[in-house]
Amino acid sequence: MAEATKLIHKYLRHDKKFPHVWCPGCGNGILLGSLIRGIDRTGIEKDDIVIVSGIGCSGRLSVYVDFNTLHTTHGRALTFATGIKLANPKLNVIVIMGDGDATAIGGNHFIHAARRNLDLTAIVVNNNIYGMTGGQYSPTTPYGAMAATALYGNIEHAFSIAELAVMAGAGMVSRGTVYHAAMLDDLIEKAILRRGFAVVEVMSHCHIQYGRRNQMGDAVEMLRLQKEAAVRAEKAAQMPAEEMMGRYTIGVLADRELPVYTEEYEKVRKSAKEMMQLVGKAESGDLKAADKRRKREAAGEADNAEI
Amino acid sequence: MESTQDSGRGAGKVPLVPKKNMAGEPSGNEDSGKAQFKIDIFRGWCKCCGICAAFCPRQCIRLDEEGSPQADCRKCTGCGWCELHCPDFAISVRKIEDAGRTTEDRA
């Protein structure tokens, strides 16, 4: 198994400061490992991969990996990624976002990227809170939970990111947890290889900002909670609704063949090109005729002048 | 006992099942026919979060008074759970055949 560690080191930027910036026991570190293993399994060259990240704890991830990377503004990771993909469709673009990044400030970009079925891989790290900025509640903080800006309990209801993406029309949607790291490797690998918008919601934990305020214990306890709350999609289908209360499904939740935006866009470009060529031919024909007429007239005028 | 220092340190307070093959006894290794594994912890990157110690299925890793993980590889089956879940990439589990090389590498 030492190969696993060797593999990780193959993809890390060793000129960056290690150990990384995340708190002890943070799920982002486990996700980083899974992401690297997932990418390695696809066999795609380092230079053909672009990692785009937004702002937040998860945004730091792009700093540590040795691919083409882009650390963008808050919530706009998907818009930058859209630009990259459309400019060079050959690149494999992987977007890392936090829950606040993807569903609050970048919520509109998220649902529209899913609706368009852009050929991107979106990894949304859901830790139920804004960790880096001090524990403000996010769109995925559960109802009643405590946060720095919800001292009497959160009165808003949480988004379910994966289900949101399914409804918005993403090609592939899956959910994993950092506790089930081996499964997460598979989900990330599948998502990268999948054409179309592939979302992986990664259930992570923030024991510093969220766990501490909600008496959920440290990283170890929060990983145990993930183990208890996660139910495989196949098993969940057979479970009564009452038992699923407070739990979530993991695995591939949606996998469907839909027209991919980049390919559709290429078709439009092709048809537009053909149309323009036709128009160009017609116009240039007219222009030549007009040119000849003008020349003839000019010659005639010159003749007249000479006389 | 050319067994590694790690296993020596952990052994003091861990009530290990005193069974047949202790790692480091060459004859034991060969007799049992079971693969032996070695857990290396890279202290420079370890943040002492305790995940490895809490979830090791064979309780091979214990935390000392300072919360630092100490490995006792005698019961390790090489499942690699700790290696996959270490958020800081500070754990490496390898088969014992290159254990000698590992200790030198670390030093």
Side-chain angles (χ1 to χ4, degrees), chain A residues 102-103 107 110-111 114 159-170 173 175:
Chain A
T103 55
F110 183 68
I111 53 173
F159 264 140
S160 176
I161 298 175
E163 275 78 9
L164 178 72
V166 173
M167 288 302 148
V173 181
R175 191 195 275 121

Side-chain angles (χ1 to χ4, degrees), chain B residues 27-84:
Chain B
S27 58
N29 286 348
E30 283 150 29
D31 289 351
S32 70
K34 275 186 191 167
Q36 301 282 318
F37 294 89
K38 171 85 184 65
I39 305 168
D40 287 317
I41 298 169
F42 179 47
R43 305 282 162 195
W45 285 15
C46 176
K47 289 178 187 161
C48 307
C49 65
I51 290 177
C52 51
F55 288 101
C56 176
R58 302 294 297 267
Q59 289 88 46
C60 296
I61 305 174
R62 303 268 161 155
L63 298 180
D64 66 10
E65 299 81 32
E66 290 170 350
S68 181
Q70 305 296 340
D72 184 332
C73 315
R74 278 173 288 186
K75 289 197 287 175
C76 181
T77 57
C79 74
W81 201 101
C82 50
E83 190 169 0
L84 282 191

